[in-house]
Amino acid sequence: MRLPFLFVLTTVMIDAMGIGLIMPIMPDLIVEVQGGSLADAAIWGGILSTAFAAMQFLFGPVLGNLSDAYGRRPVLLVSLFVMALDYIVMAIAGSIWLLLAGRIVGGITAATHSTASAYMADVSKPHEKAANFGLLGAAFGVGFVLGPMIGGLLGEFGTRAPFWAAAAFAGLNFVIGCFVMTETVTDANRRPFHWRRASLFGAFRAMTNIPNIAPLLWVYFLYSVSIYVYPAIWSYFTQERFGWSPQIIGLSLGIYGIGMAAVQGGLIRPIIRWLGERGAVIYGFVFEVVSFLLLAFLTNGTIALMLIPITALGAVVTPALQAIMSKSVPDAQQGELQGVLTAVHALSMIVSPLAMTAVFAQFTREGTLFYLPGAPFLVALVLMVIGSVIFLRARISVA
């Protein structure tokens, strides 16, 4: 089981690398193919991110249910193959509309995060779930370390170079997966595929019928909307506020990824042991609120770089919440649960880029009444506080 375990972690890492590779060059790429100002590029960046997320939102439950019925292996391998082809298309795209089409296909292939999480649920004992979900987060963090740093360096060779690298990584992992990935869905935990349950609303209805899941889904949604402020506006915010180059932006995202990987891959185990899953969520909320408040008004780029590892200390929230919900769901519905969580996260990725980039553009455009590039972080702070209140009021039974 060791090689399949590593393959799943690598798949999640490559998903993050693919996103991180292109983040440092997206402002320049959008200006290159579309023209206009940085504020205009931020709006288009929000549209591209929203298209990506909309597909995750629609297809997360579908792929989760497919993996419950037909297995984790075929869903992961087919998605990796299509992902590699999608990056090739984006590498040669000459218009904003082809980039948009690429993000639509990419969003469908990236919906397999639910399948990776379901695999972790399959192979984990109840007391191991938070830590193993944390390993998925750590793999994502490692991808965020490598992706932006490599993307920033490759950006020196042109805005298309990172896409070719992303295609190569996805293609190589597909080949490896064909040889090492084994199946964890058996007759004991297989559930027939039904479009009624695979549809977005059918999957949500099935999950919300489980006691106490609904408020936790709201918490997960509000947290995801808040935390997505980083990828939504970070490249634009740091360029506007601190004058950072793509290389520095890539470095900063890499530092955050290192911090997140350290927290979710290592620190989460003692944190869960000391505080429990509920306490870990509360602890994470506190760190995120403080981080947003500091970044909203910070004007020194050096201090911002120093604060980035501290902001990553709140990264325990997602795996702890996943573990709490996973323990409440039968084994045959793990893929369905993870599909719903992927859809909830994707919905936040629809809402957050549009809202956060619009707020950023409003507070940075020429002639604005109040100049504040960090305004999106204040919006995220308010949403984070609301999510923490819902969580504190929810009835949660954890080990």
Side-chain angles (χ1 to χ4, degrees):
M1 197 62 72
R2 184 178 180 83
L3 287 177
F5 192 91
L6 292 175
F7 166 74
V8 171
L9 291 178
T10 302
T11 300
V12 172
M13 181 184 72
I14 287 177
D15 283 347
M17 284 184 66
I19 298 170
L21 272 167
I22 65 177
M23 282 181 64
I25 52 87
M26 282 305 287
D28 292 337
L29 176 62
I30 293 172
V31 171
E32 175 186 311
V33 300
Q34 185 67 13
S37 66
L38 185 63
D40 295 329
I43 295 297
W44 269 109
I47 293 172
L48 293 176
S49 295
T50 298
F52 182 91
M55 293 302 101
Q56 282 194 310
F57 177 61
L58 294 173
F59 283 88
V62 174
L63 295 186
N65 275 270
L66 282 172
S67 75
D68 278 343
Y70 301 108
R72 319 302 183 201
R73 185 179 191 274
V75 172
L76 288 174
L77 292 179
V78 170
S79 296
L80 276 169
F81 181 76
V82 176
M83 181 185 297
L85 295 180
D86 179 60
Y87 281 126
I88 292 174
V89 171
M90 294 189 70
I92 61 176
S95 72
I96 195 70
W97 302 110
L98 196 52
L99 287 176
L100 179 60
R103 287 289 78 190
I104 289 172
V105 174
I108 297 173
T109 61
T112 53
H113 195 86
S114 61
T115 306
S117 297
Y119 172 87
M120 284 299 183
D122 291 342
V123 301
S124 303
K125 297 176 182 177
H127 68 277
E128 297 174 335
K129 288 189 174 184
N132 283 346
F133 286 137
L135 287 176
L136 285 178
F140 192 89
V142 170
F144 238 72
V145 173
L146 298 177
M149 294 178 71
I150 296 173
L153 293 173
L154 290 177
E156 292 295 302
F157 300 95
T159 55
R160 308 312 176 107
F163 291 103
W164 291 111
F169 287 131
L172 178 61
N173 199 46
F174 164 77
V175 173
I176 294 173
C178 288
F179 291 99
V180 305
M181 182 61 182
T182 57
E183 188 54 69
T184 57
V185 174
T186 64
D187 291 340
N189 64 343
R190 189 183 306 276
R191 184 172 53 81
F193 180 82
H194 297 292
W195 276 109
R196 179 179 57 81
R197 294 189 66 154
S199 71
L200 187 62
F201 296 107
F204 271 105
R205 189 181 304 113
M207 286 297 106
T208 54
N209 285 336
I210 298 173
N212 302 321
I213 284 289
L216 294 180
L217 290 176
W218 275 108
V219 174
Y220 192 83
F221 171 69
L222 290 170
Y223 177 80
S224 297
V225 171
S226 301
I227 207 68
Y228 204 78
V229 69
Y230 289 114
I233 61 109
W234 188 254
S235 297
Y236 310 97
F237 165 72
T238 53
Q239 186 172 332
E240 175 71 24
R241 176 61 103 179
F242 310 127
W244 285 357
S245 66
Q247 291 79 12
I248 300 300
I249 293 171
L251 174 64
S252 68
L253 291 170
I255 292 172
Y256 182 81
I258 291 172
M260 189 172 74
V263 171
Q264 295 192 338
L267 290 179
I268 189 171
R269 294 175 186 271
I271 290 173
I272 294 292
R273 189 165 56 247
W274 296 334
L275 302 178
E277 287 153 358
R278 185 176 186 274
V281 173
I282 296 171
Y283 148 87
F285 274 130
V286 171
F287 267 95
E288 299 293 2
V289 167
V290 172
S291 299
F292 290 152
L293 185 61
L294 291 173
L295 287 170
F297 299 104
L298 194 62
T299 59
N300 187 299
T302 302
I303 295 177
L305 279 174
M306 294 171 62
L307 283 175
I308 288 171
I310 298 175
T311 65
L313 290 173
V316 298
V317 173
T318 297
L321 272 175
Q322 280 184 286
I324 291 170
M325 288 185 275
S326 180
K327 290 179 179 180
S328 303
V329 172
D331 290 342
Q333 290 182 263
Q334 291 296 326
E336 186 173 31
L337 168 65
Q338 301 304 330
V340 168
L341 292 181
T342 296
V344 171
H345 181 70
L347 179 60
S348 73
M349 292 170 62
I350 296 172
V351 173
S352 191
L354 288 177
M356 300 304 182
T357 54
V359 171
F360 173 82
Q362 179 61 40
F363 283 87
T364 58
R365 69 174 66 253
E366 186 176 351
T368 184
L369 294 177
F370 188 72
Y371 178 78
L372 185 63
F377 292 109
L378 294 180
V379 175
L381 185 152
V382 171
L383 295 176
M384 190 73 73
V385 169
I386 294 172
S388 65
V389 170
I390 295 174
F391 182 78
L392 290 171
R393 291 171 61 89
R395 295 181 179 179
I396 301 169
S397 176
V398 297

